[in-house]
Amino acid sequence: MEAFRKIIEVVEWEAFHKDRVESGIRRMLGRVDVVALHFLENCVSCALCKTACPYYYVDEKYSPVNKAEEARKIYRKELTFAGKLLGPLVHARKPGSAEDLRRIAEFAYACTNCGACYVTCPFGIDSGALINHIRTLLTATGRVPTILQAFEVAEISGMYLEIPGLMQAWDEVMKKAAEAIGRELPFDREGAEIMLFPTLIDTLFTPGAVVGAINLLTRMGVDWTLPSKPLGIRPPIATVIGDAEGVKTQLTKIHEYLEKMKPKKVVLVDGGFVYPAMRWKLPTVLGTRPSYTVLHIVEVVHEALKKGGLKVKTTDDKVTWHSPCQLGRRGGVILEPEEIMRTVSKGYRQLPHHGIRTLCCGGGAGMGCMTRDMHEMMGKLLGTSLYDLIGNREKSFLDAAEKRYKLSIKRKMDDIERSEAEIVVTACPVCIHTIELGAQLYGPKVKVLHIAEYLSEHLEE
Amino acid sequence: MVGLGPDLYVFAKETMFQVALVVFVFGVVYRVFRFLLFWRRVVKAQARNRGAGQRILGLFKTFIDPILEAFRHQPLEGLVSLLALHIIGLIPLIFLMDQHIESFNEILPKIGGLSYSILAPLSVPLGLTEAVTSVQQGLTITSAWGPLIIVLNGDVLATLVLIAIGYKVGLRLVERAHGLQHIRLGDFLALILLAGIILFGFTAAHHLWSGSGYWTALGLHILLAEILLMALPFTKFWHFVFGYWYGKLHEWYDLRVTRGAT
């Protein structure tokens, strides 16, 4: 409890500290490069992006363009002549009160960074990226959800490795996996072709996926290994709160371990933000291209099926594929899972919105953590009552965020209902959790599985 | 002191044009230079290679998808903003109308022996009456548009644009009343400027103001167009010169080429 009190002492949901706001603005603007400048300057406010966003259906004020305006107001004030001279007349303004920060936080945490606005905008503006910049500012001012701040600090400090509740979950999954393949797991082997990279969240949310991935690699007969301890809770969790320094610290640690182990391929189970962070951002953040290739388990399975290294039993399951935004739209892995699903099930059907136009479930970028249930569940694992550490102002923020989150899921569930699927297969632990919640709240009563688990159950004997 | 009538027209066509051109060129240089100031050399991940075919298809989809999405999810907005205001509104009105082709041909330098008049076969006539008469009488229609000039003429296009502007102003007022903060004063000024250019152009084209009034209307039409030219690099109109093209090409390169999203 005391350790967590220290972790969250930076959290501040009540007061307005001008120096922290100024520091946050400097950090936020320090992230502006040529691409972000385009996102900031070239929006014409046409609002065609609005219908792409799951949170627009909660309230029109949560349209991407309206939320990103918070970043633009600060940018205009700090970095444009017109903004400096004319101020509010040209919508150039810095946050000047606790109420301003409250409003900014409300907007910043009504976004999953799913990228649907990016591909819908006629100008290719990624509003999600700008909203992440706003989170940079908020985190610097202390307006950061305690649960996310706790995870970030625990991950970067390595404290998570000393929390019995978390490590017990990891150990149990590893034990199950060893039983499933009938031999000891090949931990920390140098020079293996494949390094499987399950995160702690994989073992907590989708234990079947980790066991399934291990089973798949074993059945492929490839030379593989995995870390004996998780390389992070869900690394780099700092990306969710816009902490660029934290992202760099965590990726550096992971990269050093991977370079020491020298695998040819690093294979992820998590199809959430871990994939684009490891595959696409890591070289830019660290300033070097790694010696290994980062892949998702679905890409490895796809190749194995094509080359005959893996054989599956076909079924008639009425199954569909929900493409996680970070693996599909932002990660580029769209063709592979669809081809696999077509091979496995004759009853496979695409969702009405699929591929790059997939509908976000509403749970990404930490939104799925905003519920009371999640606080209680994580509190138990962390050995502390997380919710009791939170002040009243943050509690009211969380209550509103939870309502928004639950409403945002509806659109995805309608899409699933139209497909008439009975099983939803996907690859992101948060998507799985969110769609399961959506099935309880709105129906249809679908079964939701990670693709590694689903495929593992459909391997030829 | 510049008076109205022919004085204003000459001022707009000669003096002000030079000023507008200088401001525009300065603005473009400033914007591009500023853009380059933010450029950082970074190490990028190795691109996924899905082959040239997927990349070309991706390029097409990158540009066309937002248009299709607009019509699918916001049909009225697609119809008004994209179709009436842009695709069959301002774009042909500015770049293909007979008189504009003549003017641009006079102003713009030849590039590689090609002048602006290369677009003459795609020209659209100024007036609806002229277009209808041509079609009815089976007169030789010089435009490649053929009988479509009944729709593709200055009068119809200007009317479409004015309706679209009216709709956009109304919509933005409603959105502002709803408290949406992304609606700004500049949005209204941009629309009013466009409406002004079109209204004075229409007035001049139909000699609605007689005598020297014709020259006043034409002068104001040109003057407002020059204000637009000057404002172009510093306002949302920049999307037409740079923002649109850079944005979509960047998105294509980022998502379709590098990451291999299909």
Side-chain angles (χ1 to χ4, degrees):
Chain A
M1 191 72 163
E2 193 50 38
F4 276 98
R5 281 199 192 285
K6 281 183 185 167
I7 283 174
I8 60 164
E9 65 190 13
V10 290
V11 175
E12 172 59 85
W13 282 82
E14 304 285 336
F16 176 84
H17 298 291
K18 202 176 173 202
D19 53 334
R20 288 179 81 173
V21 171
E22 290 297 332
S23 158
I25 289 173
R26 282 196 298 279
R27 280 193 207 181
M28 175 183 156
L29 296 178
R31 293 180 63 189
V32 178
D33 59 7
V34 71
V35 177
L37 190 72
H38 161 69
F39 298 157
L40 286 162
E41 288 190 334
N42 288 323
C43 175
V44 301
S45 291
C46 68
L48 286 179
C49 57
K50 66 186 181 185
T51 48
C53 178
Y55 283 84
Y56 169 73
Y57 297 90
V58 177
D59 192 303
E60 64 176 345
K61 68 181 171 179
Y62 302 128
S63 68
V65 62
N66 205 49
K67 289 179 287 192
E69 182 67 11
E70 293 294 350
R72 294 194 175 98
K73 283 196 282 192
I74 297 166
Y75 158 76
R76 287 185 202 114
K77 184 68 188 170
E78 292 289 289
L79 293 180
T80 69
F81 288 123
K84 283 180 195 290
L85 290 172
L86 302 171
L89 200 63
V90 290
H91 275 218
R93 196 169 173 272
K94 292 196 284 188
S97 65
E99 172 54 25
D100 282 347
L101 291 180
R102 186 209 59 75
R103 187 194 62 251
I104 294 172
E106 181 189 339
F107 285 150
Y109 287 93
C111 170
T112 61
N113 198 20
C114 69
C117 53
Y118 185 18
V119 296
T120 307
C121 172
F123 307 96
I125 292 170
D126 186 354
S127 292
L130 293 184
I131 292 161
N132 190 265
H133 285 202
I134 305 172
R135 289 191 184 189
T136 301
L137 160 69
L138 289 167
T139 298
T141 67
R143 296 253 170 176
V144 54
T146 301
I147 190 169
L148 298 179
Q149 181 69 41
F151 280 146
E152 195 222 16
V153 176
E155 180 171 282
I156 290 176
S157 65
M159 206 177 94
Y160 67 97
L161 295 168
E162 290 156 23
I163 298 173
L166 297 177
M167 293 313 294
Q168 199 181 332
W170 172 270
D171 291 340
E172 276 173 16
V173 172
M174 293 307 142
K175 203 174 146 195
K176 273 187 199 161
E179 281 168 13
I181 61 169
R183 61 179 165 95
E184 298 262 304
L185 296 182
F187 289 120
D188 299 325
R189 280 186 47 241
E190 279 185 39
E193 191 193 340
I194 287 176
M195 163 70 73
L196 186 68
F197 180 176
T199 67
L200 199 49
I201 286 288
D202 289 326
T203 59
L204 289 168
F205 278 54
T206 53
V210 179
V211 176
I214 288 172
N215 195 26
L216 288 165
L217 290 177
T218 308
R219 292 290 291 275
M220 282 177 216
V222 291
D223 175 27
W224 70 279
T225 182
L226 82 166
S228 53
K229 292 172 186 168
L231 301 177
I233 295 175
R234 199 181 183 207
I237 193 91
T239 197
V240 170
I241 57 170
D243 178 5
E245 283 301 309
V247 169
K248 188 172 182 180
T249 306
Q250 192 59 22
L251 287 181
T252 303
K253 275 201 264 182
I254 294 169
H255 177 67
E256 282 171 1
Y257 169 81
L258 293 173
E259 287 291 352
K260 199 175 131 202
M261 290 293 128
K262 300 185 182 67
K264 287 195 181 95
K265 297 170 184 168
V266 171
V267 176
L268 302 172
V269 181
D270 190 332
F273 65 77
V274 184
Y275 183 82
M278 287 295 298
R279 174 137 192 186
W280 304 116
K281 288 184 191 162
L282 184 143
T284 306
V285 171
L286 303 188
T288 182
R289 276 190 181 177
S291 60
Y292 48 85
T293 307
V294 177
L295 298 167
H296 188 265
I297 185 73
V298 84
E299 295 173 272
V300 179
V301 169
H302 182 257
E303 202 182 329
L305 283 173
K306 266 203 321 197
K307 291 182 176 167
L310 197 65
K311 292 210 167 16
V312 286
K313 291 181 289 193
T314 52
T315 77
D316 295 320
D317 289 345
K318 290 181 179 173
V319 61
T320 190
W321 165 251
H322 161 67
S323 177
C325 304
Q326 303 298 327
L327 181 69
R329 186 161 37 233
R330 287 202 187 273
V333 184
I334 291 175
L335 288 178
E336 293 83 353
E338 295 213 348
E339 284 180 15
I340 292 172
M341 293 309 296
R342 279 202 177 88
T343 308
V344 177
S345 176
K346 288 177 198 158
Y348 169 72
R349 71 277 320 277
Q350 279 184 324
L351 287 171
H353 295 82
H354 55 268
I356 207 164
R357 306 231 70 86
T358 192
L359 298 182
C360 171
C361 66
M367 299 311 301
C369 291
M370 301 293 154
T371 65
R372 179 79 185 253
D373 287 351
M374 187 61 76
H375 279 75
E376 282 173 3
M377 185 183 120
M378 286 302 168
K380 268 184 204 161
L381 290 167
L382 297 170
T384 183
S385 176
L386 210 49
Y387 207 70
D388 291 341
L389 298 173
I390 294 169
N392 287 336
R393 185 79 46 110
E394 187 184 345
K395 276 183 182 150
S396 67
F397 161 80
L398 286 173
D399 287 345
E402 178 172 356
K403 272 186 201 154
R404 291 196 295 268
Y405 164 55
K406 287 180 173 171
L407 287 169
S408 77
I409 310 169
K410 177 78 170 62
R411 187 180 62 143
K412 183 79 217 181
M413 299 316 295
D414 291 344
D415 211 43
I416 292 171
E417 188 155 32
R418 281 200 292 277
S419 77
E420 296 180 2
E422 290 167 359
I423 303 169
V424 177
V425 172
T426 185
C428 163
V430 173
C431 294
I432 291 173
H433 172 74
T434 301
I435 295 171
E436 280 175 344
L437 179 61
Q440 283 172 32
L441 292 171
Y442 310 109
K445 303 291 176 203
V446 285
K447 190 175 172 187
V448 194
L449 288 171
H450 190 287
I451 192 163
E453 187 174 8
Y454 182 76
L455 292 175
S456 179
E457 288 170 3
H458 290 84
L459 290 177
E460 266 189 9
E461 294 302 322
Chain B
M1 185 72 184
V2 178
L4 294 177
D7 271 3
L8 179 70
Y9 170 73
V10 172
F11 170 75
K13 195 165 181 284
E14 306 293 336
T15 316
M16 201 55 207
F17 176 69
Q18 306 293 334
V19 174
L21 205 57
V22 169
V23 173
F24 171 73
V25 171
F26 167 78
V28 170
V29 171
Y30 167 73
R31 284 299 292 267
V32 172
F33 180 69
R34 179 179 163 75
F35 201 68
L36 292 175
L37 271 183
F38 280 81
W39 185 75
R40 297 172 197 161
R41 190 181 184 85
V42 291
V43 177
K44 297 221 168 171
Q46 188 159 7
R48 193 194 300 275
N49 188 359
R50 293 221 187 262
Q54 283 291 355
R55 287 178 177 183
I56 293 165
L57 185 65
L59 182 62
F60 175 74
K61 282 182 166 179
T62 301
F63 278 89
I64 207 76
D65 274 2
I67 298 172
L68 297 178
E69 283 297 294
F71 282 103
R72 200 172 292 145
H73 296 290
Q74 300 177 60
L76 187 60
E77 189 63 24
L79 208 66
V80 175
S81 295
L82 293 180
L83 202 66
L85 190 60
H86 284 85
I87 300 168
I88 59 165
L90 284 170
I91 294 169
L93 201 58
I94 296 172
F95 298 105
L96 297 178
M97 216 171 68
D98 272 346
Q99 283 72 3
H100 290 170
I101 288 182
E102 273 179 41
S103 299
F104 291 151
N105 195 42
E106 201 178 300
I107 295 165
L108 297 172
K110 282 186 181 176
I111 299 171
L114 290 178
S115 66
Y116 194 83
S117 63
I118 194 172
L119 292 176
L122 292 172
S123 70
V124 299
L126 181 70
L128 176 63
T129 319
E130 177 194 337
V132 172
T133 313
S134 295
V135 174
Q136 273 179 344
Q137 297 182 355
L139 296 176
T140 310
I141 297 164
T142 52
S143 170
W145 302 109
L148 277 178
I149 59 166
I150 290 181
V151 179
L152 288 172
N153 60 73
D155 286 348
V156 173
L157 297 179
T159 308
L160 277 177
V161 172
L162 287 173
I163 291 170
I165 289 172
Y167 167 83
K168 293 294 283 183
V169 169
L171 183 70
R172 296 220 179 283
L173 285 170
V174 171
E175 287 174 335
R176 192 69 202 143
H178 284 197
L180 298 184
Q181 58 175 356
H182 68 89
I183 308 299
R184 291 175 284 140
L185 178 64
D187 298 337
F188 294 102
L189 294 178
L191 291 167
I192 291 166
L193 178 60
L194 282 179
I197 294 169
I198 293 188
L199 282 172
F200 285 119
F202 189 89
T203 306
H206 291 276
H207 293 262
L208 297 181
W209 292 351
S210 57
S212 69
Y214 165 76
W215 296 106
T216 304
L218 190 57
L220 286 170
H221 172 67
I222 295 170
L223 203 60
L224 290 180
E226 285 159 352
I227 290 173
L228 172 67
L229 185 67
M230 289 189 285
L232 225 143
F234 307 104
T235 60
K236 66 195 293 185
F237 291 121
W238 183 241
H239 75 269
F240 153 69
V241 180
F242 183 82
Y244 177 67
W245 309 103
Y246 172 81
K248 291 319 273 184
L249 289 173
H250 167 265
E251 181 200 324
W252 168 69
Y253 187 77
D254 180 29
L255 292 185
R256 312 274 187 168
V257 175
T258 305
R259 302 185 190 209
T262 45

